[in-house]
Structure formats: structure tokens, C-alpha cells
């Protein structure tokens, strides 16, 4: 202090005092939001509540260290952090608790997620990027514990790329020299999840600016610490990751959740270390409490001892903060009480405003419909019943949309036999409401912007008789070469992708040509390969994450399903991560290298594009389309197609393959076979054989399973052939069942069918090893021939006698 003027010292002291009191304000604001939130649930105004009480102090400290351009990937306890950052008002907090469906009311999820799921908006309304370096960024939360970790890795990894990949230097809306820290939060019990350990190890290897704060309150719902973590402490358990003077690793810090100064220091130094030196940090925040228990689902008195409950009271971080403020002379107890009184009033005011806005919208609809029902009743023969239903609806306490809509639907059913003039007003009103409700609850499964795949320009591949025949993998290699040269945001990574250019060499030589920041190797960690891609894509990059074989997608599918596929939907267009996942499958050898688990994929990845190119020419065109778009995708190349010969298109890198448009590979008149991927060749071979006995097959390659045949090409074919077979290599009831459902439900082909629609799939078990194993497990040419013949036999046994 010796060199400082008295004024300067005083100024600094007052800044500190202001800061401390501001932090106090945020802590108690958040606490009262938690206390009132729980009451709202118990009063029946919200369905479920999970709150951040007991975790406030650490979060005001984290908010102080968090800078513009930084990213958070955390979990449901982080309300204080979001509030202190200015990214969550109390009113918005309650809007989410009530499930208010307006983006303006709940910018994180538009009422789609239960409370405590935080997010900031990365995108403008048209889907274009905001300047992420000019704002605080919170990646949209998901509920599965620890699922925030893999994308956290990617968010931090992107800083590393921005710092080291010179081609990204101009992207100043996304990064300033890779100075952005990715801050993660996780509960102590959730650190037991595999993805936590996988992410931590990967961050230590990658040396990225990732700070992971563990909020440790000694429990995971009712289960105490000794069931969760070796040695009862995650920072002890991870000591082997700690950096030394000679080896890279993690910085590990420990701090108490009630120690304001300790927390401020720990978060500041963690942030600085990560930001400047890209050293990852584990910040273990111990001795946190949970004053109201885990959630509104139960009370913690059931499983915490009296001593523990007493300890939680005595070591409540806000109580300790008050003691600290008073003993440091920043404020008197009376002053703090005064602040708290003010805060409580303000929290209540914003809570009430949130309720008024939420319930007000519904009330408007309710009033409208009541008056419509009454006027309908006057004209209807069911007058008394309708008035009774209106009366019941009016009496509903805290009415919701379901009450309104179900009453209207009941009435429309009741008066179905009455004249149009009687029903018209109510029907019209309901149809408009349906549109609004679709937007509220069902929109944004896929991109609704100009960059959706459906808007991408179609440029046909140019091939002529002089186009050279090459191995399929060379077509991909030429495509990736072109893309690496022309698209600086594009990079590819995965197991064996870097040095050898992937196990089938589609990237061969490209790391040498474009460098290790464009084409890179990773360890064997599918879950975090996906997370790495999601995080990087959230930051404006165009990653291609490779999963070596489709069979190993299972390790990564949780992240794809829970995080990537739901992202646009759960933020109602507020965030996007146009990650391309490249993999290969369908056919090679044995149980774990020839899988085709399409049913699994189709059920769990709604929200993603799923491409099944039959060869590498189609694959390259699909990648080109996807790179123009803002949608996430999975592309499954044919594992047995890399050495097959194809003609190299002249406009490689530029031509595109449209999504959702099947291609008719062979025209025919007797029966349509709908298939994709490696099965295309088998079905084409079968078609050639059947042609010899005069049977004419129309063969259709669906090309993409999601979206599926947007223009009804398959239906048109069935109108011509009147018979259809859906064939693939998945288990029975998987991909073929999906295709059949799409056609039967959406293309109204029933009346055109002369024979029952059928499926041909693999055996229900995984495929056995070797050529014979494949033959007896997966559909063969003979299987297709016999199946088609059987359908024809049933139609005309005379012409096609039984085999
Ligand atoms: C994968 C998964 N399993 C189970 C749950 C149900 N669940 C929600 S929170 C929770 C306990 C988490 O405890 P902890 O990580 O210590 O965080 P805390 O709630 O104590 O802050 C559990 C089991 C879940 N959300 N996700």
C-alpha cells in the first residue's frame, strides 16, 4: 500500500465495498427466488422446481471472473450465476418455472424446459450468429447429469483452435485469439458419470481453457458422498491429473462454498490461468449446502441426519457471507437486513409479473373461447351441455391451455352432427389456436431458417465418359481436400483421422497439406468426440467428428440424442450446432463392424439429418449440402464401398445432393423396392436377376432417412407398381418399419396396393463373422429375389408358382 495515494486506497476500498454489497444483493435475490419458487410449486402454479439455494456464493464469484466471449456449460443449480451476470432476470426465472412459452418471457427455452435450464441466445431471429465475443454465453442446459461435460470440452477446445489455427484469425465475433474460457459446473455426485472422467482426461491431454467447478454438497439426492467418490473427494480422486513442474495436466484448487474471499480468489486465478495459458482447472467447491433439499419432489429430512441439517443451517453460505460483511466493516447487520427486505420485495414483484404475463395469455384465450362456446350453444341442440362445459371451464383454478383445448375438442366432437353454420366459428378459432400451439410446443425440431437443408441449392454432379474411374475413397479425399482449402472453419477429427487420414484413408495426406489444426487425431473416446464437435460448432466452427465405425456410435449417441438433436428445439432456435458426424457401417465383418442399427438412430436422433449414401459420390454431395446448411447431421458411409470404383465428378466439392429426395435407381412396373446404403447394390443385382424371368422392379434409394421422401416420390412409384418392399440391413422392425410407417402414414398409398406391403431386414441378432456369417445374417441377393417372388406369387400363383 506504501506507494498508493490515500484517495486511491479509499476508491479501491469503496469499489470493493460496492462489489461485496452487489454480490450480497445477487446472493439474496437468488435465495428468495428459490424460496418463493418452491412455494409456487406447492401452490400448484408450477409442476416441478429445482433450485440453486446453498450454491449462491460460489456463483457470484464465478460471475465476477466470467468475461464477455466466455462460455458456460452447467446445470440446474446455476441461477445465481446467471442472475449476477445479468443474463437472467427474476421474472424470466419464474417465467420458465411456470412454462411460459414466449421466447421474450423465457429466452432460454421458451417454456419448453423445466426450471433451472439456462441458456443465452447465440442467434438472431433469422438464425444468423450474434457477436459471441460481445456477450456472455451459456450453452443450453440438458437434464442428464454430467451431459454438460462433453460439450464443455468442445467449447474450450474451440479457444485452442482459434488461437492456433491462423485461418480463423478474422472471426472476431467468435473469438479474440482464443482468450475465451469455457466454465463448467457439475454436482459432486454427477462427477461419477463416465463422461465426466472422459472429459477431464481429454481436457488434460488437449490443454484447453476449461474450468470445471464442482458444487459439492455431500449428496446426490439422498445418496451420501461415500457412495459416489473414491476417497470421498473428487479433487483427491483426480490428483493424478494434476500438473507438475515438468508435466502438463490440470490445476486443482479447493475452496469452501461459504468462503467469499477464498472463492473470489480461486475463480479469479482459475480464470486467469485458463485464459492466458490454456491450462484446465478443476475447482472443487466443498462444504456447500442445500437448504431446501434436492427439489420439490421430496424433503431432505428423510435422509439427512439432524447433525447434518444443523450443520447446513450453521454453514449456510449467505449466513457466512453476512458475518463476513459485518466483520469486515462493509455494512451493518441492519443495513444487510434492509437490503434483504428490498430484495425480497423486488423478487416478489417480478414473480407476480411473471405469473400475470403467463396466466394473462391463457386467460385471454379462455375468455375468447368461453364467449365462443356460449354463442355456439345458443345455436346448438346441445345448448345445456355446452353451457355446462363452459361453466366448468370458467371455474378451473389456474387454468392451463390443456383445459381450454380439451374442452373445445370435446365440444366439437359433441356437435359433430350439427350444421356447419353452428360449428364454423369455434372450428376456425380452434384451427388458429392449433397453429399457435404448434409454434409453442412443436416447432424448431429442425432449422426454420434460410440455411435449413431444404433451402440448399442443388448442383448436380458432372460426370462424363472421360471422368476417371477411381476408388470411392479417392472421391471423398478430393472432396475433403477441396473443402479444407475453401472453408477455413471446416476441420475434421477423430480416431486415426490425422496422421493416416482415417482407417479408410479418405483424409490421406491432408494433415500434411493443411496442418494439425485442420485434420487431427483424437484418443478413443466417442462420447467426447461428439461433445468436442458440439462445443466447437456452438462457437461458429464447422467440425466433422468421425466415429470410426457405426457400431461405436452407441458410445456417442447419448450426446447426439440428448444434446445435439434437441438443441434447436429446446432453445426454440436460440442456439445451433451444425456438427457433421461422419461414420461408416452396414457391412464388413462380424458383430461389431457391420452393424446397421438404424432403428436406434431414427428413434433417438429426431432433430438431426440422417444420410445414408449408397456410394462415395453421393456422400461427397451430401457433405457439400450439409456444409451449406446450419443443421446437424449423421452421415453413414458404406463400409464396403471405399475400394469400389466410381467416376470422379468434375465439380467435386461443389455439387450437392438434396436431402429428403429419393433417387430412382431403376425403373420398373411390377414392384417397388425401397432401400438405401449398401443394400442398393444387392437390390440392383436382384432386380437384374428378376428381370431375366420377366419381373420388373423399380428400385428406389431413399438417400436420407431424416428427412424422408419429402415430395412423395415413393408413393408415386407405388401408384405405378402397386406393390412395395422395404429392405435394409437393420433388425426386423428397425429401419424398414420406419420407412413403411412414413409411406403408410404420409403418402396415402393404401388404395393403390395390390399386395400387402412387406419388409426385408437382417436377422434379429448381430451379424456373425466371416462371409458365411454375413450371408446367413444379412439380406442377400437370393433373399431379395425370393422375397419379391413370394409377393408376386401371392398376387398371381398361376403365373408365379410356389418355389
Ligand atoms: C443421467 C441421470 N441420472 C439420474 C438423474 C436424476 N438426478 C437428477 S439430479 C440427481 C443428483 C445429482 O446430484 P449432484 O450431482 O450432487 O448435484 P446436486 O443436485 O446435488 O447439485 C439425480 C440422480 C439425471 N438427471 N440424469
Amino acid at each position: 500500500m506504501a506507494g498508493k495515494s490515500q484517495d486511491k486506497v479509499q476508491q479501491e476500498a469503496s469499489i470493493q465495498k460496492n462489489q461485496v454489497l452487489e454480490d450480497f444483493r445477487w446472493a439474496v435475490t437468488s435465495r428468495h427466488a428459490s424460496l418463493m419458487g418452491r412455494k409456487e410449486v406447492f401452490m400448484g402454479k408450477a409442476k416441478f422446481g429445482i433450485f440453486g439455494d446453498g450454491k449462491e456464493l460460489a456463483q457470484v464469484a464465478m460471475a465476477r471472473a466470467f468475461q464477455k466471449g466466455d462460455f458456460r456449460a452447467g446445470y440446474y443449480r446455476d441461477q445465481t450465476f446467471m442472475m449476477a451476470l445479468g443474463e437472467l432476470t427474476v421474472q424470466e426465472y419464474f417465467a420458465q418455472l411456470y412454462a411460459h412459452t414466449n421466447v421474450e418471457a423465457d429466452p432460454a427455452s421458451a417454456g419448453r424446459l423445466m426450471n433451472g435450464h439456462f441458456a443465452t441466445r447465440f442467434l438472431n431471429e433469422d438464425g444468423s450468429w450474434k457477436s459471441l465475443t460481445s456477450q456472455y454465453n451459456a450453452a443450453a442446459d440438458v437434464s442428464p447429469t454430467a451431459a454438460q461435460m462433453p460439450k464443455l470440452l468442445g467449447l474450450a477446445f474451440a479457444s485452442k483452435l482459434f488461437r492456433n489455427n491462423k485461418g480463423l484469425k478474422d472471426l472476431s465475433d467468435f473469438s479474440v485469439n482464443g482468450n475465451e474460457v469455457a466454465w463448467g459446473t457439475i454436482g459432486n455426485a454427477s462427477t461419477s458419470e463416465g463422461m465426466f472422467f472422459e472429459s477431464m482426461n481429454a481436457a488434460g491431454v488437449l490443454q484447453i481453457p476449461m474450468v470445471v467447478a464442482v458444487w459439492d454438497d455431500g449428496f446426490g439426492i439422498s445418496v451420501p458422498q461415500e457412495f459416489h467418490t473414491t476417497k470421498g473427494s473428487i479433487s483427491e480422486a483426480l490428483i493424478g491429473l494434476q500438473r507438475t513442474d515438468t508435466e502438463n495436466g490440470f490445476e486443482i484448487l479447493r475452496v469452501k462454498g461459504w468462503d467469499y474471499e477464498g472463492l473470489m480468489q480461486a475463480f479469479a486465478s482459475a480464470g486467469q490461468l485458463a485464459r492466458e495459458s490454456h491450462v484446465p482447472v478443476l475447482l472443487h467447491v466443498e462444504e456447500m449446502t442445500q437448504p431446501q433439499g434436492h427439489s420439490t419432489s421430496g424433503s431432505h429430512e428423510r435422509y439427512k441426519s439432524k447433525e447434518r441439517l444443523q450443520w447446513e443451517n450453521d454453514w449456510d453460505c449467505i449466513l457466512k457471507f453476512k458475518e463476513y460483511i459485518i466483520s469486515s466493516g462493509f455494512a451493518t447487520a441492519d443495513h444487510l437486513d434492509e437490503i434483504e427486505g428490498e430484495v425480497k420485495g423486488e423478487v416478489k414483484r417480478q414473480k407476480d409479473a411473471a405469473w400475470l404475463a403467463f396466466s394473462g395469455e391463457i386467460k385471454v384465450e379462455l375468455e375468447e373461447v368461453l364467449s365462443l362456446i356460449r354463442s355456439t350453444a345458443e345455436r346448438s341442440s346441445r345448448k345445456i351441455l355446452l353451457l355446462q362445459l363452459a361453466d366448468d371451464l370458467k371455474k378451473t383454478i389456474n387454468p392451463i391451455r390443456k383445459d381450454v383445448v380439451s374442452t373445445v375438442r370435446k365440444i366439437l366432437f359433441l356437435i359433430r352432427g350439427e350444421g356447419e353454420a353452428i360449428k364454423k366459428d369455434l372450428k376456425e378459432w380452434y384451427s388458429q389456436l392449433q397453429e399457435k400451439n404448434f409454434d409453442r410446443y412443436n416447432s424448431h425440431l429442425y432449422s426454420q431458417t434460410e440455411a435449413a437443408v431444404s433451402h440448399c441449392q442443388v448442383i448436380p454432379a458432372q460426370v462424363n465418359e472421360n471422368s476417371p474411374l477411381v476408388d470411392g475413397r479417392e472421391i471423398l479425399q478430393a472432396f475433403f481436400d477441396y473443402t479444407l482449402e475453401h472453408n477455413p472453419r471446416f476441420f475434421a477429427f477423430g480416431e486415426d483421422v490425422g496422421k493416416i487420414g482415417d482407417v479408410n484413408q479418405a483424409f490421406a495426406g491432408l494433415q500434411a497439406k493443411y496442418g494439425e489444426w485442420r485434420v487431427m487425431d483424437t484418443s478413443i473416446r466417442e462420447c467426447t468426440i461428439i461433445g468436442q464437435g458440439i462445443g466447437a460448432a456452438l462457437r461458429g466452427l464447422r467440425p466433422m467428428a468421425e466415429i470410426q465405425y457405426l457400431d461405436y456410435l452407441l458410445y456417442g449417441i447419448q450426446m447426439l440424442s440428448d444434446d445435439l438433436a434437441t438443441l434447436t428445439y429446446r432453445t426454440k432456435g436460440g442456439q445451433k450446432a451444425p456438427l457433421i458426424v461422419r461414420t461408416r457401417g452396414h457391412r464388413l465383418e462380424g458383430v461389431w463392424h457391420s452393424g446397421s442399427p438404424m432403428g436406434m438412430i431414427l428413434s433417438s436422433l429426431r432433430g438431426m439429418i440422417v444420410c445414408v449414401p449408397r456410394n462415395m459420390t453421393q456422400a461427397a454431395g451430401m457433405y457439400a449440402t450439409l456444409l451449406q446448411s446450419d443443421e446437424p447431421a449423421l452421415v453413414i458411409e458404406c463400409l464396403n464401398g471405399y475400394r469400389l470404383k466410381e467416376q470422379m465428378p468434375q465439380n467435386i466439392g461443389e455439387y450437392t445432393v438434396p436431402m429428403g429426395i429419393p433417387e430412382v435407381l431403376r425403373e420398373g412396373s411390377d414392384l417397388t423396392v425401397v432401400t438405401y446404403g449398401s443394400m442398393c447394390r444387392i437390390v440392383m443385382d436382384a432386380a437384374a436377376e428378376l428381370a431375366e424371368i420377366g419381373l420388373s422392379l423399380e428400385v428406389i434409394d431413399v438417400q436420407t432417412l431424416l428427412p424422408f421422401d419429402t415430395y412423395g416420390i415413393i408413393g408415386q412409384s407405388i401408384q405405378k407398381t402397386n406393390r412395395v418392399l422395404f429392405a435394409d440391413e437393420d433388425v426386423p422392425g428397425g429401419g424398414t418399419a420406419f420407412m413403411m410407417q412414413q409411406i403408410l402414414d404420409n403418402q396415402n398409398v393404401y388404395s393403390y396396393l395390390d399386395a400387402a406391403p412387406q419388409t426385408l431386414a437382417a436377422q434379429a441378432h448381430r451379424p456373425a463373422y466371416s462371409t458365411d456369417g454375413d450371408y446367413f445374417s444379412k439380406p442377400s441377393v437370393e433373399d431379395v429375389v425370393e422375397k419379391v417372388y413370394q409377393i408376386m406369387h401371392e398376387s398371381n400363383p398361376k403365373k408365379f408358382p410356389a418355389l
Side-chain angles (χ1 to χ4, degrees):
M1 229 186 252
K4 287 187 182 173
S5 73
Q6 201 56 28
D7 274 0
K8 182 110 177 122
V9 173
Q10 266 177 6
Q11 204 186 359
E12 275 178 14
S14 104
I15 288 170
Q16 206 192 351
K17 175 182 167 177
N18 289 344
Q19 178 183 315
V20 170
L21 292 187
E22 193 180 292
D23 287 346
F24 177 73
R25 221 168 240 285
W26 284 124
V28 287
T29 298
S30 173
R31 176 62 61 91
H32 282 287
S34 298
L35 297 172
M36 289 183 209
R38 189 171 169 90
K39 286 194 186 125
E40 293 300 280
V41 176
F42 290 143
M43 282 166 65
K45 288 160 77 181
K47 287 207 85 174
F48 174 79
I50 192 152
F51 305 105
D53 45 310
K55 316 282 187 296
E56 293 92 346
L57 214 52
Q59 293 183 30
V60 295
M62 185 165 123
R64 290 274 173 204
F66 198 90
Q67 295 184 7
K68 293 239 163 98
D70 283 358
F71 287 79
R72 162 202 166 275
Y75 79 116
Y76 47 80
R77 302 284 180 210
D78 291 348
Q79 66 195 49
T80 321
F81 168 78
M82 295 299 290
M83 288 175 185
L85 220 52
E87 293 299 328
L88 176 71
T89 65
V90 172
Q91 185 165 338
E92 287 165 351
Y93 181 75
F94 279 94
Q96 190 179 52
L97 185 75
Y98 301 137
H100 194 160
T101 51
N102 271 359
V103 167
E104 292 74 28
D106 168 22
S109 69
R112 292 177 174 194
L113 303 184
M114 58 170 59
N115 90 308
H117 287 69
F118 308 107
T120 53
R121 298 191 81 75
F122 295 2
L123 305 175
N124 298 306
E125 256 185 48
D126 64 359
S128 60
W129 292 100
K130 294 186 174 189
S131 171
L132 302 184
T133 42
S134 318
Q135 63 179 33
Y136 299 117
N137 304 293
D141 292 354
V142 291
S143 293
T145 55
Q148 66 272 37
M149 292 298 300
K151 81 174 156 229
L152 175 68
L153 182 87
L155 291 167
F157 171 72
S159 287
K160 188 100 189 165
L161 266 188
F162 279 116
R163 190 171 284 183
N164 291 285
N165 177 351
K166 304 283 172 276
L168 302 173
K169 282 281 173 276
D170 296 336
L171 296 173
S172 57
D173 281 342
F174 295 95
S175 177
V176 178
N177 193 33
N179 291 338
E180 303 76 27
V181 175
W183 303 78
T185 67
I186 185 165
N188 55 295
S190 304
T191 63
S192 307
E193 296 279 12
M195 55 187 66
F196 173 80
F197 285 91
E198 192 176 309
S199 303
M200 296 299 276
N201 175 57
V205 169
L206 293 168
Q207 288 294 289
I208 51 179
M210 172 170 128
V211 177
V212 179
V214 179
W215 305 148
D216 188 347
D217 57 21
F219 282 82
I221 309 188
S222 65
V223 181
Q225 190 65 347
E226 60 263 32
F227 286 85
H228 298 299
T229 311
T230 309
K231 300 181 183 177
S233 158
I234 193 65
S235 50
E236 278 295 315
L238 291 186
I239 216 83
L241 294 186
Q242 194 157 25
R243 65 186 182 143
T244 66
D245 290 344
T246 53
E247 284 171 314
N248 283 335
F250 263 78
E251 181 68 334
I252 298 183
L253 303 173
R254 283 190 201 101
V255 62
K256 310 290 185 208
W258 44 264
D259 173 8
Y260 179 71
E261 280 192 0
L263 287 162
M264 294 299 281
Q265 242 171 36
F267 277 96
S269 67
Q272 192 183 10
L273 190 61
R275 200 177 304 285
E276 289 172 8
S277 315
H278 281 188
V279 171
V281 183
L282 170 69
L283 214 165
H284 185 185
V285 185
E286 299 171 290
E287 299 189 16
M288 286 185 142
T289 66
Q290 212 177 60
Q292 302 188 107
H294 176 76
S295 71
T296 51
S297 294
S299 82
H300 56 161
E301 284 81 9
R302 284 179 302 157
Y303 49 81
K304 285 181 186 163
S305 67
K306 279 204 176 74
E307 293 71 32
R308 171 74 196 189
L309 289 165
Q310 188 56 49
W311 180 88
E312 292 204 12
N313 277 336
D314 297 344
W315 292 87
D316 184 299
C317 65
I318 292 185
L319 181 72
K320 288 281 147 200
F321 195 21
K322 280 184 187 165
E323 289 171 11
Y324 164 81
I325 296 172
I326 295 164
S327 68
S328 307
F330 291 129
T332 61
D334 286 347
H335 188 189
L336 294 184
D337 285 348
E338 204 181 300
I339 293 176
E340 194 162 354
E342 269 172 41
V343 161
K344 202 172 163 182
E346 179 56 19
V347 172
K348 183 174 176 324
R349 192 193 66 72
Q350 290 199 43
K351 170 187 73 82
D352 291 343
W355 177 254
L356 216 63
F358 165 74
S359 56
E361 265 185 20
I362 296 174
K363 272 203 187 105
V364 170
E365 281 169 18
L366 186 92
E367 291 304 329
E368 279 176 12
V369 83
L370 284 176
S371 116
L372 267 174
I373 296 172
R374 286 182 190 126
S375 60
T376 307
E378 289 310 320
R379 301 189 295 265
S380 165
S381 62
R382 315 296 299 268
K383 179 174 175 182
I384 294 173
L385 196 51
L386 263 53
L387 289 177
Q388 182 62 51
L389 283 166
D391 213 35
D392 292 349
L393 182 59
K394 194 175 165 53
K395 283 188 199 141
T396 315
I397 299 165
N398 296 335
I400 54 174
R401 292 206 164 88
K402 183 183 164 204
D403 300 316
V404 172
V405 170
S406 78
T407 304
V408 171
R409 293 171 75 177
K410 271 186 200 132
I411 291 174
L412 287 174
F413 193 75
L414 275 172
I415 61 172
R416 63 192 179 281
E418 305 206 7
E420 202 52 37
I422 297 170
K423 299 187 286 194
K424 185 170 161 279
D425 293 349
L426 194 58
K427 263 172 84 174
E428 271 174 15
W429 185 85
Y430 175 52
S431 134
Q432 282 165 15
L433 187 67
Q434 271 180 306
E435 263 175 52
K436 284 189 203 155
N437 283 339
F438 184 88
D439 177 62
R440 284 168 180 145
Y441 300 101
N442 311 112
S443 72
H444 290 86
L445 178 58
Y446 286 91
S447 169
Q448 298 192 188
T449 76
E450 281 303 306
V453 288
S454 51
H455 296 299
C456 287
Q457 206 193 343
V458 181
I459 304 171
Q462 289 166 11
V463 185
N464 59 32
E465 64 279 12
N466 298 323
S467 303
L469 264 184
V470 296
D471 284 352
R473 68 131 197 125
E474 290 177 72
I475 292 180
L476 288 178
Q477 186 188 29
F479 172 80
F480 292 138
D481 192 356
Y482 178 97
T483 305
L484 284 160
E485 189 182 333
H486 289 87
N487 186 348
R489 297 189 194 206
F490 175 77
F491 69 98
F493 65 105
E495 297 152 20
D496 303 293
V497 169
K499 202 167 196 131
I500 64 165
D502 94 39
V503 286
N504 295 95
Q505 293 173 21
F507 279 97
L510 298 181
Q511 185 185 65
K513 188 168 173 185
Y514 295 98
E516 292 185 4
W517 297 110
R518 304 298 304 285
V519 183
M520 59 195 90
D521 283 316
T522 67
S523 179
I524 309 171
R525 48 176 180 78
E526 287 77 9
C527 167
T528 51
I529 286 174
I530 298 297
Q532 197 170 333
I534 295 173
L538 276 166
R539 293 191 59 183
L541 297 173
R542 293 309 311 251
M544 174 174 280
E546 177 168 321
I547 298 296
Q548 201 161 74
Y549 298 103
L550 177 56
D551 305 75
Y552 307 124
L553 188 73
L554 272 165
Y555 278 47
I557 201 154
Q558 192 243 320
M559 293 323 305
L560 293 176
S561 182
D562 282 329
D563 196 353
L564 188 58
T566 65
L567 181 67
T568 303
Y569 175 79
R570 75 180 192 268
T571 58
K572 205 179 182 196
Q575 294 185 9
K576 64 180 172 185
L579 168 65
I580 299 174
V581 179
R582 172 181 183 231
T583 188
R584 51 190 74 88
H586 303 316
R587 253 180 212 224
L588 195 70
E589 283 302 341
V591 168
W592 289 283
H593 294 89
S594 52
S596 193
M598 305 311 298
M600 167 188 92
I601 288 166
L602 291 164
S603 298
S604 57
L605 300 189
R606 302 297 167 103
M608 286 183 69
I609 306 292
V610 175
C611 301
V612 280
R614 66 179 177 276
N615 59 29
M616 304 310 159
T617 309
Q618 296 306 102
M622 289 173 183
Y623 288 131
T625 306
L626 293 169
L627 284 165
Q628 278 182 29
S629 88
D630 65 359
E631 309 218 43
L634 172 67
V635 180
I636 302 161
E637 295 167 10
C638 295
L639 192 35
N640 56 1
Y642 297 106
R643 306 268 162 214
L644 299 179
K645 298 291 180 198
E646 297 178 35
Q647 280 191 297
M648 175 72 80
Q650 287 159 347
N651 55 346
I652 187 84
E654 285 165 6
Y655 73 88
T656 58
V657 169
M659 304 281 138
I661 317 278
E663 192 176 327
V664 179
L665 301 183
R666 179 185 175 116
E667 291 198 12
S669 53
D670 291 325
L671 185 146
T672 302
V673 184
V674 180
T675 192
Y676 59 87
S678 304
M679 278 296 286
C680 288
R681 266 183 301 112
I682 288 173
V683 173
M684 287 297 275
D685 289 350
E689 276 190 27
L690 288 163
E692 288 172 19
I693 61 160
L695 266 174
S696 166
L697 250 55
E698 180 134 313
V699 181
I700 299 186
D701 173 10
V702 301
Q703 305 216 80
T704 62
L705 287 163
L706 298 173
F708 188 84
D709 190 11
T710 348
Y711 294 108
I713 289 171
I714 297 169
Q716 285 163 26
S717 170
I718 294 169
Q719 284 188 31
K720 182 175 66 173
T721 62
N722 312 116
R723 295 178 192 88
V724 63
L725 173 68
F726 299 92
D728 78 357
E729 304 181 26
D730 196 1
V731 293
T736 49
F738 168 79
M739 294 192 289
M740 190 192 279
Q741 173 271 333
Q742 290 286 306
I743 297 303
L744 294 185
D745 281 0
N746 304 332
Q747 297 196 20
N748 200 21
V749 295
Y750 180 72
S751 57
Y752 297 102
L753 286 169
D754 288 346
Q758 302 233 8
T759 63
L760 174 65
Q763 295 294 320
H765 56 72
R766 305 254 185 130
Y769 172 62
S770 196
T771 305
D772 277 348
D774 175 89
Y775 186 79
F776 290 105
S777 304
K778 293 256 189 171
S780 61
V781 174
E782 289 77 15
D783 289 328
V784 178
V785 167
E786 288 165 11
K787 186 84 184 180
V788 169
Y789 188 89
Q790 184 63 29
I791 297 171
M792 297 311 294
H793 162 73
E794 276 161 27
S795 291
N796 189 346
K798 265 208 184 122
K799 190 166 175 199
F800 303 104
L803 290 176

